[in-house]
């Protein structure tokens, strides 16, 4: 089963690279239907998000492109929520700037090399970081 999932995800990624977005969606749908666990679905969802976030100016109007991008963002947020990470979609510029300032303050005086030298071992957090990439 793992081999099947891996092959189908690789096929979906190849179709994404070739610009065959309808094939990507069909393949991802098949993966989601046949996956035995949520973790089997995650690489497929990531590929679908990449596919739906592609904006093709020559073939899509602005509204359609925005809808596709919003769909990709919603899929990503849903997957993250199922992994236990919740993101509010109702953030004002002021609240975002406040969080940015808090983070900046926490990092003041920290050596970047020390921050970058720590190895992440939590598999769930690694999956979340990969999705956010």
């Amino acid at each position: 089963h793992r081999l099947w999932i891996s092959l189908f995800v690789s096929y979906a990624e190849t179709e994404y690279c070739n610009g065959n977005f309808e094939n990507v969606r069909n393949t991802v749908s098949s993966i989601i239907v046949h996956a035995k666990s949520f973790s089997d679905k995650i690489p497929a969802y990531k590929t679908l998000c990449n596919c739906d976030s592609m904006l093709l100016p020559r073939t899509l109007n602005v509204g359609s492109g925005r809808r596709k991008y919003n769909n990709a963002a919603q899929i990503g947020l849903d997957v993250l929520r199922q992994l236990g990470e919740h993101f509010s979609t109702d953030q004002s510029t002021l609240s975002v700037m406040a969080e940015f300032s808090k983070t900046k303050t926490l990092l003041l005086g920290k050596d970047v090399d020390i921050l970058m030298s720590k190895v992440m071992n939590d598999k769930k957090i690694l999956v979340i970081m990969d999705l956010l990439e």
Side-chain angles (χ1 to χ4, degrees), residues 1-132:
H1 182 74
R2 288 242 183 258
L3 177 60
W4 182 90
I5 293 288
S6 180
L7 288 172
F8 266 63
V9 168
S10 294
Y11 175 70
E13 290 170 348
T14 302
E15 289 298 288
Y16 165 72
C17 290
N18 289 326
N20 299 324
F21 302 126
E22 194 58 39
N23 288 349
V24 173
R25 289 182 194 90
N26 292 336
T27 304
V28 167
S29 292
S30 183
I31 294 168
I32 291 168
V33 166
H34 293 94
K36 290 183 179 177
S37 68
F38 181 69
S39 63
D40 287 344
K41 298 175 185 181
I42 292 173
Y45 280 128
K46 183 178 179 187
T47 303
L48 183 61
C49 286
N50 288 337
C51 177
D52 280 355
S53 67
M54 285 296 299
L55 299 178
L56 304 173
R58 286 184 238 131
T59 59
L60 295 173
N61 65 38
V62 173
S64 175
R66 188 173 298 121
R67 279 191 301 278
K68 288 283 189 195
Y69 185 80
N70 287 342
N71 184 47
Q74 191 57 53
I75 291 168
L77 289 170
D78 289 343
V79 170
L80 289 169
R81 193 173 305 108
Q82 290 183 58
L83 289 168
E85 292 296 323
H86 301 277
F87 291 87
S88 174
T89 55
D90 270 347
Q91 293 294 323
S92 68
T93 303
L94 185 60
S95 65
V96 170
M97 292 306 292
E99 288 300 317
F100 179 77
S101 292
K102 277 200 275 188
T103 303
K104 188 175 176 181
T105 301
L106 287 171
L107 294 174
L108 274 175
K110 303 284 186 198
D111 184 11
V112 176
D113 292 332
I114 291 173
L115 294 173
M116 299 303 288
S117 68
K118 297 194 179 204
V119 177
M120 172 60 66
N121 293 318
D122 187 324
K123 291 186 187 298
K124 180 180 158 190
I125 299 297
L126 288 169
V127 168
I128 290 168
M129 289 170 60
D130 185 50
L131 282 170
L132 292 171

